[in-house]
Amino acid sequence: MKVVAAVDKFRGSATAAEVASAIGHACWEAGHDCVEVPMADGGEGLLDVLGGANRTTRVTGPLGTPIDAAWRLSGRTAVIEMALASGLELAGGADGNDPMNATTAGTGELIDAALTAGAKRIVVGLGGSATTDGGLGALQALRSPTRLKGVELVAACDVTTVFTDAARVFGPQKGASNAQIRMLTARLEQLAERYRSEFEIDVTDVEGSGAAGGIGGLIAALGGTLMPGFELVADELDLWDHVEGADLVITGEGRLDAQSFDGKVVGGVAEIAGECGVDVAAVVGVADSDVRDRIRHVAIADEFGLDRAMSEPQWCIERAVPMLW
């Protein structure tokens, strides 16, 4: 049997590559061939699945402290993961974040570094950010937006939120109070006017412009393209070609919930498998009760207990996969 392991990370316990490897090992032990395709939806983990870091640049962290941010340059293509320069985890999570002052400057500095290194295509993964500055910090970090002329700028995102809704939708998870959300929204509205004046684009009409606290709007203002993260990764990794002719596709992520089927890896893989007429199943950490019938799956927390699922996810995954044959 030919199996394709097209999986997302199990957040906090295993990378997408580790999950795919565990599935691959289970297939090998059962005598099946397995193609391992670690996936991402445009947020955390994008850099790893698109080849991994081969460069590091010191940039301004989300709260202003200098940090070393990893990124990738392969030929003339650069891959930047926003979470590694302007991420919420770098700010200490919601409790440690300063939502009013968190900046995207570090992400802009990485884009600038990629331009200096000669990149002609720059892929920026939007997700996991600490920021709601509408991309202003990144814009100020670019020495000149005209340097992007002739450069393909692509943002991978998994939301359709528009620019002026960014604070309302994402502010609470970044530690913003109700009063701060109102102030951040007013600031985004003013910034939208600036982008309209300087770049002749109304970012409030662009789906996904509110991604990562509004930096999606800046990408659009600079002439870039906003793409669903899963679709971008699937194209980059030739997922369609791998799935066609397979006998089984195994996907998965840490938590199976309603969002899993809305632009995320599990839903995207299931859709591709369905269009190719290939059976699909999932191995997940935990599964919400309201989605258990949407895809055949095994939840390792149910089979082996939550503690072991968190501490030994690969061991659990290897033993769960044969339940999907």
Side-chain angles (χ1 to χ4, degrees):
M1 185 164 65
K2 177 189 174 183
V3 180
V4 175
V7 292
D8 201 350
K9 63 188 174 298
F10 280 32
R11 189 188 299 274
S13 61
T15 66
E18 290 170 341
V19 177
S21 177
I23 294 171
H25 193 264
C27 290
W28 174 78
E29 287 189 328
H32 303 309
D33 294 328
C34 183
V35 178
E36 299 173 17
V37 191
M39 295 290 297
D41 58 21
E44 301 99 321
L46 176 72
L47 182 61
D48 286 341
V49 303
L50 294 186
N54 60 9
R55 301 230 173 176
T56 302
T57 299
R58 176 148 287 201
V59 300
T60 304
L63 301 186
T65 304
I67 61 168
D68 293 322
W71 59 289
R72 179 175 182 81
L73 182 67
S74 179
R76 291 296 186 92
T77 296
V79 180
I80 292 168
E81 188 172 315
M82 185 183 180
L84 299 179
S86 311
L88 185 60
E89 288 190 10
L90 298 174
D95 292 338
N97 193 26
D98 181 354
M100 294 300 298
N101 295 306
T103 178
T104 53
T107 299
E109 289 163 359
L110 286 185
I111 295 172
D112 197 70
L115 292 170
T116 299
K120 291 300 180 182
R121 182 172 186 258
I122 302 176
V123 177
V124 185
L126 307 185
S129 79
T131 60
T132 315
D133 72 349
L136 182 60
L139 176 62
Q140 293 170 338
L142 288 169
R143 282 176 286 173
S144 173
T146 59
R147 299 182 72 207
L148 287 163
K149 187 175 181 179
V151 174
E152 181 185 4
L153 181 61
V154 182
C157 58
D158 62 358
V159 300
T160 58
T161 306
V162 295
F163 193 74
T164 50
D165 285 343
R168 178 182 60 81
V169 175
F170 304 118
Q173 68 193 44
K174 301 177 185 186
S177 66
N178 289 336
Q180 289 174 325
I181 289 170
R182 289 192 293 271
M183 288 187 284
L184 288 167
T185 298
R187 197 164 69 183
L188 288 170
E189 290 169 349
Q190 293 174 351
L191 188 56
E193 288 296 330
R194 173 175 171 178
Y195 288 166
R196 187 180 293 111
S197 173
E198 291 187 17
F199 301 106
E200 298 182 347
I201 180 173
D202 185 355
V203 296
T204 64
D205 289 337
V206 179
E207 281 196 357
S209 58
I215 196 174
L218 173 67
I219 299 291
L222 293 174
T225 302
L226 303 181
M227 278 192 67
F230 172 79
E231 291 181 17
L232 184 149
V233 174
D235 287 345
E236 294 284 335
L237 301 181
D238 298 320
L239 182 60
W240 281 89
D241 292 341
H242 292 305
V243 171
E244 288 181 341
D247 299 294
L248 173 66
V249 177
I250 299 178
T251 186
E253 63 176 340
R255 185 180 195 93
L256 186 70
D257 57 22
Q259 292 186 3
S260 303
F261 302 91
D262 186 17
K264 303 293 187 178
V265 169
V266 168
V269 170
E271 185 174 341
I272 290 175
E275 293 189 26
C276 292
V278 178
D279 190 24
V280 63
V283 58
V284 301
V286 296
D288 286 1
S289 59
D290 60 332
V291 295
R292 287 177 177 266
D293 61 348
R294 294 190 63 174
I295 188 170
R296 185 164 62 89
H297 70 278
V298 175
I300 60 175
D302 291 344
E303 300 295 333
F304 308 104
L306 182 59
D307 288 344
R308 193 161 202 178
M310 291 296 296
S311 63
E312 300 179 76
Q314 291 173 270
W315 182 92
C316 295
I317 291 165
E318 285 186 30
R319 283 149 185 81
V321 166
M323 303 175 190
L324 300 172
W325 302 146

